[in-house]
Amino acid sequence: MPEEARKPEERETLPTAKRVALLNRHDRIFHVILAQQFDRETIDTLCKLAEMLRNIAETRQGLQFLKTLLSHKRAMLYFIQPSTRTFLSFAAACQILGIAYDEVRNPSVSSEVKGETEDDTVRVLSQYFNLIVMRHPKEGFAEEMAHALDALNMSIPIINGGSGQDQHPTQALLDIYTLHRAFGRVAIERGNLDFSTNRFAGKTIAFVGDLKRGRTVRSLAYLLCRYPGVRMIFIAPPELQISEDILEYLGRNEVEYAFADDVGAVIHECDAIYMTRLQDEYDVAGESKKIDFDRFHISADMTPRFKPDLAIMHPLPRRKEIDRRLDTDPRAQYFSQVHNGMWMRAAAIAYAFHMDGAIIDHYQTHFTY
Ligand code: NCD
């Protein structure tokens, strides 16, 4: 075990490349914690696997095959922050792959009330399972636990299902997958599963809302850096604008970006617009009540200025960010994102257990002529 893996306080100051290396095994992702772990090849593979899984699952025989893939594994969904959609998305992904899962959602009924520390709880409960999916309000907790389990030599993969205000890597993967399906719809519908095409070159993606505290935005910005030629626009109140660390990362990766104050002023330039809600659960003293957030909204009245293939995205849940009249516009992608997420999470879990080869073989045998 490398010494760095044992010292959380030192780990925080490690360069990202080192943190990424510590989460991998033999150059392959083991714990899924940070979006920066994903290179282009891995993202392409996961999109392809997600697409294969949804096709295979269309028949009873296909679904039965998938259910045998990981029927020898058990997962713990450790969701200590409110969640229904992401929780059920992972639950459905486990069911598709035949994984039995159990949940921990309320620490007040666990031994933590007897004074057990939370990291001890995770170490103890992990003994029953082969995989942990974790949503936690504290940034870095999932990464810390990945190293804590590694140090016990009882390592099982941990997948980050949302870590405080920091990251939500599987949401970012499903967002990339959704964008591929939106930008490459015709090719993908015809059965072209080559996700190595850079469909993002020359595209402008706007992020709107609480960009400072929205973990989905942060993780997606990291992943988009893998696509040369993408451009980003950040539209937020000044207090909630995207953080400096992300801008530095974009700069290092030579990604072009701009800021805007008003959705209406830039909507005509956008190929995708990623709306987000106010993350006021992270307020310390109700400070976001003073912000005029209603302006960060997309209205059906802007439709004449939309590009014909604009992708309207939202990680959900939404409040008033998207005019409900847009729900039936074919450019609205937010319900597809939810559906795509289930396949992407199944792909990520299958990949974590080295099942990608079996899925690709099955697909090639049954779907290519
Ligand atoms: C997001 C999250 O939890 O970060 N939701 C999700 O996972 N679908 C976005 C949000 O809560 O605003």
Side-chain angles (χ1 to χ4, degrees):
M1 185 54 50
E3 193 50 31
E4 296 94 331
R6 303 209 172 137
K7 296 180 183 159
E9 65 287 355
E10 282 178 23
R11 210 164 33 243
E12 273 168 29
T13 60
L14 285 177
T16 308
K18 187 79 192 167
R19 285 170 72 197
V20 164
L22 289 171
L23 296 167
N24 291 355
R25 294 278 181 285
H26 313 296
D27 279 338
R28 196 181 151 107
I29 292 172
F30 183 75
H31 302 292
V32 176
I33 305 291
L34 309 168
Q36 301 95 304
Q37 287 177 264
F38 291 89
D39 58 17
R40 256 298 281 292
E41 205 183 325
T42 314
I43 304 170
D44 299 347
T45 302
L46 289 172
C47 289
K48 184 166 81 177
L49 285 175
E51 193 65 29
M52 286 181 172
L53 287 169
R54 76 195 298 152
N55 282 303
I56 294 172
E58 270 177 20
T59 66
R60 183 192 293 259
Q61 292 91 324
L63 206 54
Q64 271 161 358
F65 158 75
L66 295 178
K67 276 191 180 302
T68 63
L69 278 179
L70 291 169
S71 54
H72 56 306
K73 301 290 182 194
R74 291 180 307 281
M76 166 163 75
L77 307 188
Y78 188 87
F79 273 58
I80 297 304
Q81 237 187 344
S83 172
T84 321
R85 71 212 65 237
T86 305
F87 176 85
L88 287 178
S89 180
F90 274 108
C94 286
Q95 283 163 346
I96 290 165
L97 298 167
I99 301 178
Y101 69 87
D102 236 313
E103 58 180 76
V104 177
R105 308 193 72 173
N106 181 2
S108 72
V109 295
S110 92
S111 284
E112 281 173 42
V113 288
K114 300 184 195 165
E116 186 176 63
T117 61
E118 198 176 10
D119 57 327
D120 253 3
T121 304
V122 174
R123 275 188 278 211
V124 170
L125 300 181
S126 70
Q127 307 302 315
Y128 305 136
F129 299 97
N130 311 103
L131 167 72
I132 301 176
V133 183
M134 182 176 283
R135 169 167 287 200
H136 200 279
K138 199 170 124 206
E139 295 171 17
F141 185 73
E143 187 175 1
E144 220 174 278
M145 288 320 303
H147 294 301
L149 296 185
D150 288 355
L152 285 179
N153 276 332
M154 305 196 86
S155 198
I156 56 173
I158 297 190
I159 298 183
N160 177 3
S163 49
Q165 301 170 45
D166 188 31
Q167 288 239 11
H168 196 349
T170 61
Q171 175 74 40
L173 287 166
L174 77 87
D175 291 335
I176 290 281
Y177 177 43
T178 303
L179 286 166
H180 262 294
R181 286 179 61 89
F183 297 155
R185 188 173 50 80
V186 177
I188 295 169
E189 273 172 10
R190 286 199 193 124
N192 177 346
L193 262 61
D194 182 9
F195 284 90
S196 65
T197 317
N198 180 358
R199 297 192 170 98
F200 299 79
K203 297 280 201 268
T204 295
I205 307 200
F207 291 95
V208 184
D210 191 341
L211 309 185
K212 186 180 176 163
R213 304 179 293 184
R215 56 194 173 194
T216 66
V217 170
R218 294 174 54 79
S219 289
L220 182 54
Y222 282 127
L223 287 196
L224 284 171
C225 288
R226 302 297 193 204
Y227 296 87
V230 73
R231 175 172 173 257
M232 303 186 207
I233 305 180
F234 299 108
I235 309 170
E239 306 88 324
L240 301 175
Q241 196 40 282
I242 191 88
S243 312
E244 208 47 53
D245 62 332
I246 298 287
L247 297 178
E248 266 169 33
Y249 193 87
L250 301 189
R252 275 203 303 278
N253 286 279
E254 298 177 10
V255 175
E256 195 190 324
Y257 61 83
F259 300 101
D261 185 45
D262 180 11
V263 177
V266 293
I267 191 67
H268 62 283
E269 298 173 39
C270 298
D271 297 285
I273 186 151
Y274 194 96
M275 306 300 298
T276 65
R277 72 174 171 91
L278 187 65
Q279 305 279 318
D280 45 7
E281 67 268 43
Y282 296 112
D283 276 7
V284 179
E287 59 274 23
S288 60
K289 285 200 177 60
K290 294 187 213 105
I291 298 172
D292 175 15
F293 199 77
D294 290 350
R295 293 196 308 113
F296 298 90
H297 168 86
I298 185 166
S299 157
D301 300 334
M302 297 174 187
T303 314
R305 281 177 279 159
F306 287 179
K307 284 196 180 182
D309 292 323
L310 171 70
I312 307 169
M313 317 260 291
H314 196 304
L316 303 178
R318 74 171 152 182
R319 292 179 185 169
K320 291 186 287 184
E321 302 83 44
I322 300 180
D323 186 335
R324 277 162 204 273
R325 288 177 293 166
L326 288 170
D327 290 359
T328 50
D329 188 304
R331 289 168 287 203
Q333 296 290 338
Y334 28 100
F335 297 117
S336 305
Q337 279 171 273
V338 179
H339 188 71
N340 296 340
M342 178 177 76
W343 300 114
M344 178 48 86
R345 288 179 172 122
I349 295 172
Y351 182 87
F353 287 111
H354 296 246
M355 284 298 158
D356 33 323
I359 293 166
I360 294 169
D361 284 352
H362 182 94
Y363 184 86
Q364 282 170 349
T365 312
H366 293 81
F367 289 83
T368 45
Y369 305 101

